[in-house]
C-alpha cells in the first residue's frame, strides 16, 4: 500500500510539473514570464560600451506585473459560525452583507472546513489538506508527529506568497492562528509570521482568540500597544477601518495593481464581546429556546432552498437538555447568552458590509472577486452545558454555577466578561446537523456557508450550488480566476502539488460534475471519510467530554448516504456493514497518504509542551531572569510556574510610597501579580475570575534599594492545588497567606507575562488599568521553580 501510494504521489507531482512546465513554455513563447517558478526572473540587462549615457539607448524598465485584467481578491473568513446561524443560510442572525452578496453572487451549501480553526486556515491559504500543512490540530497543541508539528512547510506556499510574487499587493487583517505559540516572542523565529508567508501588511493577533476590547495586537511583527482607554473601541471595527484605508491607499497610488486582502475577524469565536449599541438588538428573540430554534431554522432552510425538501432534523446529542426541562433561571441565562451572541454575529457582518461598501464606492466591485466564508468550522460547543462567563475556566476545569452566571448576566458580552454561550445554542447553530465544532466526521462540525460574488463573471446570481467542495478548493479557484498556474517552485523550494480543485466552472455552469469525490476529515480522533455521496464517521470525543469515549481501535463507525440524507439523520451502518468496512479502509488509505497517522486523541494534556513533545522555548529550564519592559510573553514563551513550588526574586530601587506592577502574568480572567501598593509589597492571585487571593504587607518600604522574594510552597497532590505564599524583604518575612486554588493548565491564550506593568486587562483591581507602571526601577526579576 505504501509503495502504491508513493508511486501515485510521484506520478501526480510529475504530471503537475509537466503541465506547469508546458504552461511556462507557452507563456515564454508569447512573451509572458514563466509564472510556474517564483519569483519571476527579471530579463538580463544589456552591457554597454558607450562612454556617455547620452549616446546609449537605455533598456525598457522592468517591473513585476500581475496578469492583464487580474481581479482584486478579498477573502473573508468568520470564526466559529455554524451552518445554520446566518440569515443567508436560514439562521436567526441578521446578516445584511451576507444576504446582499448571496443575492448578487453564488451560495454553496456543501462547502466544508476541517472542524478546527488553525487546520482550516492552513488548508484555506495553501490549497492543501491540513495534515499536509502539518496543522492537524490547533497550533497550541502541536506535537512532533509529521502531520501535527504546527510548523507549515515552505513546500506549501500560501496564496498570499503566490500572488505577491505575481505582482499583487497583499494584506491580512485579524486572526493568524498558524504560528506555533512557542515562536511568538522576540526570539521567533518569525518565518511563520504572516509577513514571511506572503502578506506585505499584517494587522491582527497571533493566537486562537483575543479580547475584542483589549486585543493582543501586532502590526506586522511589532506588538501594538493601546495606551489610552477608548470606551467605543472594538477590534472588528478597527480591522475594518484599517483594511478600508489600505485598499483606498493602494488604489490611489497604483490603480492598475490588484490587491489580495484576507479579512479574518476573531468574531464570533469566544470571547463574545459586543458594542453597547448592539447589545439589546435581539431582546426576547430566543425565549422559546434551542429546540424551537432548530425547527424554525430548518423550515427556513427548506423554504430558501438551502437544504432539500424532506430534510430531517438530526437528533441532538443526549448531553443537550430539552429546553422545556430547564429551570426558569437556566432559561433566562441561556436566552440572554444567545441574544448577545446573535448581536456579535450581526456586528461582525456589518463590518464586512463596510468593507464591501468601500469596494463599491471605489468603483472596483466588478473587478473584485469577493469570497465570504461563514465560519472556519461549526459553531463552538466548548461553552459546555451552561455557557461560561469566563471561557478560560474551560481550560482549567474551574466550575461556574448557573447561579454565578445569573448574578453576572448583565455583564455578559461586556469587557467585564470573557464569555461563551451554552452548547445547546451551538448545536442549534449547526442546524440541520447533530454535532458542532471539533466533530470532524459530522457536517455540523465541517459544513459552513460559502458565498462568492464576482459581478460580470457569474452569469446566474442569487442561486445555490450543491457541489461537494472543501477549503482546499479556494486557492485553485483564485488562481483560475486570476489566470495563474499553480507554481512548481517558490523561493527555491519545490512545491507539493495542491490537493484542492478549482470551482471556477461552477460560476457559469450549475451542472458542473462534483469534482471532489473523496475527502477525509480528522481532528483529535474524531474522523470521517466522504466518497461518492457516502459519509462514514466516528465521534470519538464530544467537545464537552474530558476524555475520549473509548480507545481509537474500539471506535464504532457510522454510515450515512448524504446524497439522500442531507442532515446525516439516519445511520445505515447496521444495514450496510460491508460499505462501512470499505469506507473505513478508504479512510486509512487517505490517512496514510496525507500524514494523518498516528491519530492523537489527547486533549488538555497537549497544552503542556513537554508532554505533547513540541518545541518549548524554556526547554526544561528551572530558572528565568527577565527585565523591565519585557511584556506579553505568552504561556509557551515563559517559564511554566503552574503546579509547582517556586520563588520570584526581584531587586528594586524605589522612592517613598512606591506603586505599580513588578511582574504580572495573565489578566482579569486568570493570573497573578507581584506589585507595590502605597509603598507596601503585595501579591494577588486570580483563580479564573472566581476567587481572588491577596497577600499584602503591612510594612511600608523605605526609599532605596531592596531585594524582594515571593516564595510559593505548593501543596502538591495533583494539578491546580493550593499553597502558601510568603513575601520577604531583604531576607525578612513581612507577609504570608494561603492560596487555596491555582490555575492548572493555561493562564490566558492572549495575555502574557509583563515586567514593570500589567498590559491588557488587570490581574487585580488593586491597581489602575492604564496607570499601573512601576514607579521605581526594576533591576531584574528572577523566577526559580522546583
Amino acid at each position: 500500500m505504501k509503495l502504491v501510494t508513493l508511486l501515485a504521489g510521484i506520478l501526480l507531482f510529475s504530471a503537475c510539473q509537466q503541465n506547469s512546465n508546458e504552461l511556462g513554455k507557452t507563456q515564454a513563447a508569447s512573451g509572458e514570464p514563466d509564472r510556474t517558478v517564483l519569483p519571476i526572473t527579471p530579463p538580463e540587462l544589456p552591457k554597454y560600451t558607450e562612454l556617455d549615457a547620452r549616446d546609449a539607448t537605455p533598456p525598457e524598465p522592468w517591473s513585476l506585473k500581475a496578469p492583464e485584467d487580474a481581479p482584486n481578491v478579498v477573502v473573508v473568513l468568520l470564526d466559529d459560525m455554524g451552518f445554520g446561524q446566518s440569515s443567508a443560510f436560514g439562521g436567526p442572525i441578521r446578516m445584511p452583507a451576507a444576504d446582499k452578496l448571496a443575492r448578487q453572487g453564488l451560495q454553496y451549501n456543501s462547502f466544508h472546513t476541517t472542524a478546527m480553526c488553525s487546520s482550516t486556515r492552513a488548508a484555506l491559504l495553501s490549497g492543501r489538506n491540513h495534515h499536509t500543512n502539518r496543522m492537524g490540530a490547533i497550533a497550541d497543541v502541536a506535537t512532533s508527529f509529521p502531520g501535527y508539528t504546527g510548523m507549515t512547510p515552505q513546500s506549501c506556499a500560501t496564496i498570499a506568497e503566490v500572488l505577491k510574487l505575481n505582482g499583487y499587493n497583499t494584506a491580512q487583517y485579524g486572526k493568524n492562528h498558524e504560528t506555533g505559540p512557542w515562536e511568538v516572542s522576540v526570539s521567533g523565529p518569525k518565518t511563520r509570521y504572516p509577513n514571511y508567508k506572503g502578506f506585505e501588511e499584517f494587522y491582527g493577533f497571533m493566537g486562537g482568540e483575543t479580547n475584542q476590547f483589549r486585543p493582543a495586537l501586532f502590526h506586522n511583527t511589532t506588538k501594538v500597544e493601546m495606551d489610552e482607554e477608548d470606551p467605543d473601541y472594538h477590534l472588528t471595527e478597527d480591522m475594518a477601518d484599517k483594511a478600508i484605508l489600505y485598499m483606498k491607499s493602494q488604489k490611489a497610488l497604483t490603480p492598475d495593481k490588484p490587491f489580495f486582502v484576507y479579512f479574518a475577524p476573531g468574531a464570533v469565536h469566544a470571547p463574545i464581546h459586543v458594542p453597547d449599541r448592539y447589545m439589546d438588538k435581539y431582546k426576547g428573540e430566543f425565549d422559546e429556546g434551542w429546540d424551537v430554534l432548530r425547527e424554525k431554522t430548518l423550515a427556513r432552510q427548506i423554504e430558501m432552498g438551502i437544504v432539500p425538501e424532506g430534510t430531517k432534523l438530526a437528533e441532538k446529542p443526549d448531553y443537550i437538555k430539552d429546553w422545556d426541562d430547564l429551570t426558569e433561571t437556566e432559561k433566562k441565562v441561556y436566552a440572554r447568552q444567545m441574544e448577545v451572541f446573535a448581536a456579535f454575529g450581526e456586528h461582525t457582518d456589518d463590518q464586512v458590509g463596510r468593507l464591501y461598501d468601500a469596494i463599491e464606492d471605489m468603483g472596483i466591485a466588478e473587478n473584485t472577486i469577493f469570497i465570504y466564508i461563514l465560519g472556519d468550522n461549526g459553531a463552538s460547543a466548548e461553552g459546555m452545558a451552561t455557557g461560561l462567563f469566563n471561557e478560560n475556566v474551560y481550560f482549567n476545569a474551574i466550575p461556574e454555577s448557573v447561579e454565578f452566571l445569573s448574578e453576572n448576566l448583565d455583564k455578559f458580552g461586556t469587557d467585564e466578561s470573557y464569555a461563551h454561550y451554552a452548547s445547546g445554542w451551538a448545536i442549534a447553530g449547526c442546524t440541520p446537523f447533530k454535532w458542532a465544532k471539533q466533530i470532524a466526521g459530522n457536517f455540523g462540525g465541517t459544513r459552513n456557508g460559502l458565498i462568492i460574488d464576482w459581478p460580470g463573471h457569474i452569469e446566474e446570481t442569487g442561486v445555490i450550488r450543491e457541489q461537494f467542495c472543501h477549503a482546499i478548493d479556494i486557492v485553485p479557484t483564485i488562481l483560475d480566476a486570476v489566470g495563474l498556474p499553480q507554481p512548481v517552485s517558490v523561493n527555491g523550494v519545490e512545491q507539493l502539488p495542491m490537493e484542492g480543485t478549482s470551482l471556477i466552472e461552477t460560476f457559469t455552469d450549475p451542472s458542473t460534475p462534483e469534482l471532489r469525490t473523496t475527502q477525509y476529515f480528522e481532528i483529535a480522533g474524531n474522523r470521517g471519510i466522504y466518497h461518492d455521496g457516502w459519509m462514514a464517521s466516528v465521534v470519538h470525543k464530544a467537545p464537552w467530554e474530558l476524555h475520549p469515549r473509548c480507545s481509537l481501535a474500539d471506535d464504532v463507525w457510522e454510515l450515512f448516504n448524504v446524497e439522500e440524507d442531507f442532515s446525516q439523520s439516519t445511520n445505515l451502518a447496521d444495514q450496510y456493514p460491508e460499505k462501512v468496512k470499505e469506507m473505513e479502509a478508504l479512510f486509512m488509505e487517505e490517512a496514510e497518504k496525507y500524514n494523518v497517522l498516528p491519530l492523537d486523541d489527547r486533549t488538555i494534556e497537549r497544552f503542556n509542551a513537554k508532554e505533547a513533545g513540541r518545541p518549548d522555548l524554556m526547554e526544561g529550564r528551572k530558572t528565568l531572569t527577565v527585565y523591565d519592559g519585557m511584556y506579553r510573553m505568552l504561556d509557551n514563551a515563559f517559564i511554566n510556574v503552574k503546579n509547582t513550588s517556586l520563588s520570584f526574586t526581584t531587586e528594586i530601587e524605589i522612592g517613598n510610597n512606591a506603586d505599580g506592577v513588578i511582574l504580572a502574568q495573565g489578566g482579569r480572567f486568570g493570573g497573578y501579580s507581584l506589585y507595590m501598593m502605597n509603598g507596601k509589597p503585595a501579591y494577588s492571585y486570580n483563580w479564573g475570575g472566581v476567587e481572588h487571593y491577596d497577600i499584602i504587607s503591612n510594612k511600608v518600604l523605605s526609599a532605596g534599594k531592596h531585594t524582594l522574594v515571593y516564595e510559593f510552597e505548593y501543596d502538591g497532590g495533583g494539578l491546580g492545588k493550593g499553597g502558601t505564599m510568603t513575601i520577604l524583604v531583604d531576607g525578612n518575612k513581612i507577609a504570608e497567606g494561603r492560596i487555596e486554588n491555582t490555575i492548572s493548565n493555561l493562564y490566558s491564550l492572549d495575555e502574557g507575562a509583563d515586567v514593570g506593568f500589567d498590559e491588557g486587562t488587570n490581574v487585580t483591581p488593586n491597581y489602575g488599568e492604564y496607570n499601573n507602571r512601576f514607579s521605581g526601577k526594576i533591576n531584574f526579576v528572577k523566577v526559580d521553580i522546583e
Side-chain angles (χ1 to χ4, degrees):
M1 179 65 73
K2 289 183 179 179
L3 180 59
V4 172
T5 302
L6 177 62
L7 289 173
I10 293 171
L11 290 172
L12 176 61
F13 185 62
S14 299
C16 290
Q17 281 191 309
Q18 185 176 355
N19 291 339
S20 296
N21 289 338
E22 289 301 319
L23 180 56
K25 292 175 183 176
T26 302
Q27 289 174 327
S30 64
E32 279 288 304
D34 178 5
R35 297 180 185 269
T36 64
V37 177
L38 302 175
I40 297 168
T41 304
E44 289 187 13
L45 293 174
K47 293 185 180 295
Y48 289 90
T49 58
E50 292 87 345
L51 177 65
D52 191 331
R54 298 176 185 84
D55 300 328
T57 302
E60 288 292 324
W62 183 87
S63 62
L64 179 62
K65 292 182 179 179
E68 189 174 354
D69 299 324
N72 307 299
V73 180
V74 177
V75 174
V76 175
L77 178 67
L78 301 192
D79 202 343
D80 279 8
M81 175 161 278
F83 181 77
Q85 287 185 320
S86 75
S87 54
F89 284 82
I93 303 176
R94 294 182 284 275
M95 301 182 70
D99 293 339
K100 173 182 175 178
L101 289 162
R103 286 193 302 271
Q104 63 189 42
L106 296 173
Q107 287 177 271
Y108 290 77
N109 70 353
S110 294
F111 174 78
H112 298 84
T113 53
T114 69
M116 193 61 81
C117 42
S118 290
S119 306
T120 293
R121 290 159 195 272
L124 174 70
L125 289 175
S126 72
R128 301 164 180 93
N129 285 307
H130 53 307
H131 293 88
T132 302
N133 278 280
R134 303 176 189 171
M135 202 66 72
I138 59 172
D140 312 70
V141 295
T143 71
S144 58
F145 290 112
Y148 302 87
T149 66
M151 294 183 279
T152 51
Q154 292 179 314
S155 54
C156 295
T158 69
I159 183 63
E161 184 73 6
V162 174
L163 292 180
K164 181 186 75 172
L165 294 176
N166 274 287
Y168 273 67
N169 284 132
T170 58
Q172 176 180 347
Y173 298 90
K175 175 173 173 175
N176 170 70
H177 200 194
E178 301 95 80
T179 306
W182 62 91
E183 296 185 342
V184 184
S185 78
V186 67
S187 298
K190 299 187 178 181
T191 50
R192 276 174 283 272
Y193 279 45
N195 293 105
Y196 291 87
K197 294 175 71 176
F199 290 102
E200 298 169 317
E201 177 79 1
F202 172 63
Y203 184 81
F205 58 100
M206 297 293 287
E209 64 187 39
T210 196
N211 190 314
Q212 295 286 322
F213 299 120
R214 297 298 303 275
L217 283 176
F218 281 77
H219 181 209
N220 298 323
T221 61
T222 303
K223 298 169 187 174
V224 175
E225 283 308 300
M226 301 179 64
D227 294 326
E228 297 180 7
E229 183 174 7
D230 178 358
D232 297 322
Y233 181 86
H234 194 281
L235 174 58
T236 318
E237 295 177 7
D238 184 18
M239 284 172 48
D241 290 342
K242 296 290 194 300
I244 290 168
L245 179 60
Y246 173 84
M247 293 188 300
K248 287 182 175 179
S249 302
Q250 193 268 355
K251 284 302 173 190
L253 297 174
T254 51
D256 296 328
K257 188 174 185 179
F259 61 69
F260 170 57
V261 170
Y262 176 43
F263 190 82
V268 287
H269 192 293
I272 299 171
H273 279 155
V274 186
D276 286 344
R277 66 187 187 277
Y278 279 78
M279 195 69 80
D280 293 326
K281 296 191 95 174
Y282 289 81
K283 197 77 172 174
E285 294 190 28
F286 300 103
D287 290 350
E288 293 178 308
W290 45 62
D291 295 319
V292 171
L293 177 58
R294 294 184 84 215
E295 293 168 358
K296 287 186 173 181
T297 298
L298 177 57
R300 282 192 299 267
Q301 290 174 330
I302 291 173
E303 181 183 357
M304 295 170 65
I306 299 296
V307 307
E309 286 277 356
T311 295
K312 297 178 182 178
L313 192 62
E315 64 176 358
K316 66 180 189 288
D318 293 338
Y319 177 81
I320 308 300
K321 292 182 179 179
D322 289 346
W323 186 263
D324 290 343
D325 293 339
L326 301 175
T327 67
E328 289 306 310
T329 299
E330 288 173 324
K331 289 179 180 179
K332 178 184 175 183
V333 168
Y334 303 159
R336 182 57 180 165
Q337 291 174 353
M338 186 59 198
E339 289 170 9
V340 178
F341 177 82
F344 195 27
E346 182 173 337
H347 173 258
T348 305
D349 181 76
D350 283 350
Q351 308 319 304
V352 178
R354 290 178 56 215
L355 200 68
Y356 191 79
D357 288 347
I359 289 170
E360 287 189 316
D361 291 344
M362 286 188 284
I364 60 173
E366 290 195 359
N367 196 35
T368 300
I369 179 169
F370 198 100
I371 300 172
Y372 194 177
I373 304 172
L374 298 163
D376 57 353
N377 41 241
S380 171
E382 294 154 344
M384 313 300 282
T386 61
L388 301 168
F389 181 73
N390 172 13
E391 189 223 12
N392 280 337
V393 304
Y394 170 79
F395 301 106
N396 296 292
I398 300 173
E400 287 183 341
S401 67
V402 173
E403 289 71 29
F404 172 82
L405 295 173
S406 180
E407 291 167 4
N408 291 278
L409 199 56
D410 60 329
K411 301 175 184 175
F412 194 90
T414 71
D415 63 352
E416 294 185 64
S417 70
Y418 204 85
H420 206 325
Y421 61 179
S423 37
W425 295 120
I427 299 303
C430 296
T431 300
F433 307 107
K434 179 176 182 175
W435 292 101
K437 176 183 177 181
Q438 295 191 22
I439 308 301
N442 183 270
F443 292 156
T446 63
R447 186 162 291 182
N448 291 91
L450 168 66
I451 301 170
I452 300 179
D453 175 62
W454 194 13
H457 298 267
I458 294 174
E459 294 180 355
E460 185 184 12
T461 60
V463 295
I464 295 167
R465 294 291 188 258
E466 299 179 348
Q467 289 88 350
F468 188 99
C469 49
H470 190 274
I472 60 176
D473 299 328
I474 296 299
V475 167
T477 302
I478 292 171
L479 293 178
D480 262 3
V482 172
L484 290 174
Q486 296 182 17
V488 296
S489 175
V490 176
N491 296 321
V493 178
E494 191 175 88
Q495 294 297 290
L496 293 171
M498 291 184 186
E499 292 148 5
T501 304
S502 174
L503 302 174
I504 202 80
E505 291 181 28
T506 66
F507 289 9
T508 54
D509 184 2
S511 63
T512 300
E514 194 169 273
L515 300 174
R516 178 157 303 288
T517 57
T518 303
Q519 178 62 45
Y520 82 91
F521 299 89
E522 192 279 334
I523 292 289
N526 291 318
R527 56 202 188 274
I529 182 76
Y530 170 82
H531 182 67
D532 286 343
W534 289 88
M535 183 76 179
S537 58
V538 164
V539 178
H540 186 65
K541 185 188 102 44
W544 45 77
E545 293 170 348
L546 293 178
H547 305 287
R549 297 176 168 186
C550 61
S551 70
L552 291 160
D554 291 334
D555 277 326
V556 177
W557 286 75
E558 296 179 312
L559 179 70
F560 304 94
N561 182 348
V562 292
E563 196 159 303
E564 299 176 359
D565 178 15
F566 186 93
S567 62
Q568 293 175 275
S569 64
T570 305
N571 179 12
L572 302 175
D574 290 342
Q575 191 172 342
Y576 299 105
E578 292 305 313
K579 186 69 175 178
V580 173
K581 291 180 181 178
E582 173 192 325
M583 296 289 281
E584 186 177 356
L586 180 58
F587 172 83
M588 291 300 292
E589 183 179 326
E590 295 291 289
E592 184 177 348
K593 183 191 305 182
Y594 294 114
N595 285 328
V596 182
L597 302 175
L599 304 182
D600 192 338
D601 61 2
R602 293 174 296 169
T603 53
I604 294 296
E605 58 266 40
R606 281 173 67 178
F607 279 98
N608 184 309
K610 183 178 180 180
E611 191 164 346
R614 66 173 169 273
D616 181 358
L617 206 61
M618 294 295 104
E619 294 185 355
R621 287 166 58 180
K622 298 294 185 180
T623 185
L624 173 68
T625 301
V626 290
Y627 301 94
D628 194 2
M630 296 175 68
Y631 73 105
R632 207 184 296 162
M633 294 172 279
L634 298 179
D635 268 41
N636 279 261
F638 192 75
I639 195 166
N640 186 1
V641 298
K642 296 180 285 290
N643 311 306
T644 185
S645 296
L646 70 146
S647 66
F648 303 94
T649 303
T650 179
E651 185 180 274
I652 58 175
E653 299 178 33
I654 59 173
N656 292 322
N657 296 315
D659 272 308
V661 175
I662 299 170
L663 171 69
Q665 184 173 12
R668 178 181 293 155
F669 308 104
Y672 63 87
S673 180
L674 294 60
Y675 58 101
M676 297 283 291
M677 188 166 65
N678 298 321
K680 301 174 184 178
Y683 181 89
S684 289
Y685 198 94
N686 179 338
W687 187 55
V690 176
E691 296 286 350
H692 291 258
Y693 307 99
D694 296 323
I695 296 121
I696 303 172
S697 169
N698 292 322
K699 178 180 175 62
V700 176
L701 299 192
S702 60
K705 183 184 289 188
H706 297 279
T707 299
L708 276 63
V709 178
Y710 296 76
E711 290 183 344
F712 181 64
E713 185 176 346
Y714 187 59
D715 291 343
L719 304 180
K721 304 301 182 182
T724 301
M725 171 59 70
T726 303
I727 304 176
L728 301 96
V729 175
D730 301 326
N732 301 309
K733 182 167 75 172
I734 60 169
E736 186 175 88
R738 280 287 299 170
I739 297 170
E740 294 298 337
N741 301 283
T742 60
I743 299 292
S744 58
N745 293 304
L746 185 72
Y747 284 116
S748 174
L749 284 170
D750 70 332
E751 294 199 62
D754 314 308
V755 185
F757 64 108
D758 188 353
E759 187 255 358
T761 63
N762 282 17
V763 170
T764 171
N766 290 347
Y767 46 77
E769 191 160 6
Y770 294 93
N771 57 350
N772 58 46
R773 183 169 285 280
F774 189 63
S775 61
K777 180 183 178 184
I778 302 171
N779 291 329
F780 64 85
V781 180
K782 183 170 179 282
V783 188
D784 292 287
I785 62 173
E786 286 192 1

